Amino acid sequence: MTPDRAPDNGRFFELDILRGVASLLVVAFHYVHFYHTDQFQPDLYINVPFFDLLRPIYSHGQWFVELFFTISGYVFFWLYRAPIMAGAVSFRTFVIARLARLYPLYIATLILTAGLMIIFHGLYGYDYVYQANTVGNFALSALMVQQWWVGAVQSFNGPVWSISVEMGLYGLFFLFCTLKLGRRWLWVIVALTTPLMWLWPEVAFFRGLPSFFLGGIAYFVARELSGVGVPIRKGILGVVAAGWVAAYLFGHDGLMNGEVIAVFSREVMVLGLMPLTLVAVDLWRGVIPAVRLKPFVWLGDISYSTYLIHFPLQLLIMIGLNGLAPATKVAVIASPLFFMAFFAALIGLSIVSYGQFEMTARLYLLRRFLPRYRQQSASPKV
């Protein structure tokens, strides 16, 4: 979710912002964690803040995880395919660079969540949201492999299942590049993996497979269309804009009847709208002056932080609300002010985490394990 960049490619401001917004939308989808009890009832969703405005997000916000996978595929085929195929990036360097960026916050939030789960269970008598919190699952999570097989379950800091999937996808990507497979193989892989998503929707790894390689397709399609005229670019942008408006409208349960689902489904979103969105963003890159986008790029910088920190923060808040009567607790959680305070706290913690912990830990690990960084003082762009 927070890809590194090659030194000479600059920043893709629009993509950074898109990734940041997607992360916050997933967090909004998970806001209903606050309503979790040992006898969780989905009809409590009606009490969530800004229900009418955010109803599509509360109902279907999990789809934005697929957008993360698609963005990752786009970025990796953009920045890393050619260097890996040319032998300029070894597997060891690739793995160390990925782990240096992802693992410090990952393991820190995993340990924090495990400790908070113990406290929560002592207060409430049950585990918060994710129930399979065993020693074995902690070990699998620590190794980032907990979602690599059929029957895998979510535990501890549950939302990080997607990080485990991404780690597996990175390995497949490196193999794809090492074998020097051509662009047409992307279509073959998507055609072969999409049925897996349909047949076994409960398998998390199958959620990421087609989306990641669709991101690669989006990158190459954008390259092919880079020379088209403004009318075609406007047409693609118009289709994408109309698609997102339709997604918002159809996301309201009142419109989500059988006929609508058949026309505008999860598959349409994941397999069509999201890759096409990246094509449109690519084609219109730079149209908005960078000086106007820079103030919002921090959303992309902290997207990984917000994603990993939001669940342990929810867990900590629920521990703090332990003394309240159930009705009072629901009233607090349903308050728009509480909703905004939660996001403000999350964003503040994420900014601190990104600047003071993640980047420092990343540079330390790169210097420790990759000699070419030992004399480098600035943040690396690997």
Side-chain angles (χ1 to χ4, degrees):
M1 285 185 303
T2 308
D4 305 310
R5 299 174 183 85
D8 300 324
N9 282 283
R11 296 203 61 166
F12 195 156
F13 296 119
E14 296 87 346
L15 202 61
D16 284 337
I17 296 169
L18 178 63
R19 187 176 64 249
V21 171
S23 178
L24 293 177
L25 291 176
V26 174
V27 173
F29 168 71
H30 286 156
Y31 189 83
V32 296
H33 285 165
F34 282 121
Y35 294 86
H36 189 276
T37 69
D38 59 340
Q39 296 179 335
F40 185 62
Q41 298 183 16
D43 59 351
L44 290 176
Y45 283 24
I46 195 69
N47 293 311
V48 293
F50 306 109
F51 178 71
D52 289 335
L53 178 65
L54 298 179
R55 188 171 183 177
I57 305 304
Y58 288 133
S59 300
H60 309 291
Q62 71 270 30
W63 292 356
F64 286 97
V65 177
E66 271 79 356
L67 181 56
F68 292 150
F69 294 138
T70 308
I71 291 175
S72 290
Y74 174 100
V75 170
F76 275 76
F77 276 94
W78 166 35
L79 295 183
Y80 299 127
R81 176 176 175 266
I84 292 173
M85 291 179 69
V89 176
S90 68
F91 183 71
R92 178 178 181 274
T93 298
F94 181 75
V95 170
I96 290 174
R98 289 288 79 218
L99 289 177
R101 176 62 187 99
L102 300 178
Y103 199 70
L105 184 62
Y106 178 93
I107 192 63
T109 54
L110 176 61
I111 294 171
L112 174 62
T113 302
L116 291 175
M117 279 288 190
I118 294 173
I119 298 173
F120 183 93
H121 193 279
L123 293 172
Y124 287 88
Y126 59 91
D127 286 346
Y128 184 55
V129 184
Y130 304 103
Q131 306 300 307
N133 299 314
T134 65
V135 174
N137 283 332
F138 182 90
L140 293 175
S141 295
L143 294 172
M144 307 179 85
V145 299
Q146 69 271 29
Q147 294 295 329
W148 286 15
W149 49 73
V150 176
V153 295
Q154 296 181 28
S155 61
F156 296 99
N157 192 5
V160 303
W161 68 266
S162 65
I163 309 303
S164 172
V165 171
E166 287 225 10
M167 291 301 294
L169 293 173
Y170 297 157
L172 293 178
F173 165 77
F174 195 92
L175 178 62
F176 182 98
C177 297
T178 300
L179 295 176
K180 298 184 178 181
L181 299 179
R183 302 178 188 181
R184 294 180 180 178
W185 277 99
L186 288 171
W187 296 96
V188 174
I189 292 172
V190 170
L192 292 176
T193 58
T194 297
L196 300 179
M197 183 181 70
W198 289 330
L199 294 172
W200 293 282
E202 72 280 2
V203 179
F205 199 81
F206 294 161
R207 286 181 62 178
L209 272 171
S211 293
F212 183 89
F213 289 99
L214 276 169
I217 289 174
Y219 169 71
F220 287 116
V221 168
R223 299 284 66 74
E224 293 295 330
L225 296 176
S226 60
V228 300
V230 173
I232 295 179
R233 292 171 187 252
K234 286 184 177 180
I236 294 174
L237 183 62
V239 170
V240 168
W244 284 111
V245 170
Y248 177 79
L249 294 176
F250 295 162
H252 286 77
D253 289 341
L255 294 175
M256 210 64 165
N257 55 53
E259 291 77 17
V260 171
I261 290 177
V263 175
F264 200 93
S265 61
R266 168 196 172 188
E267 286 71 27
V268 173
M269 284 277 292
V270 171
L271 304 177
L273 182 57
M274 289 180 180
L276 188 60
T277 297
L278 297 192
V279 173
V281 170
D282 186 295
L283 294 178
W284 288 90
R285 181 184 182 185
V287 172
I288 301 176
V291 67
R292 295 185 180 180
L293 295 175
K294 283 183 179 179
F296 304 100
V297 172
W298 59 272
L299 287 170
D301 289 337
I302 68 169
S303 60
Y304 185 65
S305 313
T306 56
Y307 191 77
L308 265 67
I309 292 173
H310 77 272
F311 180 74
L313 177 59
Q314 287 182 306
L315 183 52
L316 179 63
I317 290 172
M318 292 303 292
I319 291 172
L321 296 178
N322 173 57
L324 298 180
T328 304
K329 191 182 301 182
V330 170
V332 170
I333 294 167
S335 167
L337 289 178
F338 181 86
F339 180 93
M340 291 185 287
F342 167 69
F343 272 88
L346 175 63
I347 290 172
L349 288 171
S350 298
I351 291 173
V352 173
S353 172
Y354 176 78
Q356 302 302 315
F357 174 63
E358 295 169 58
M359 293 298 99
T360 300
R362 176 191 179 200
L363 185 55
Y364 169 80
L365 292 173
L366 289 176
R367 287 173 170 172
R368 174 69 177 79
F369 295 103
L370 295 179
R372 65 188 173 115
Y373 290 106
R374 288 174 185 166
Q375 304 301 320
Q376 187 169 326
S377 59
S379 179
K381 306 289 187 182
V382 180

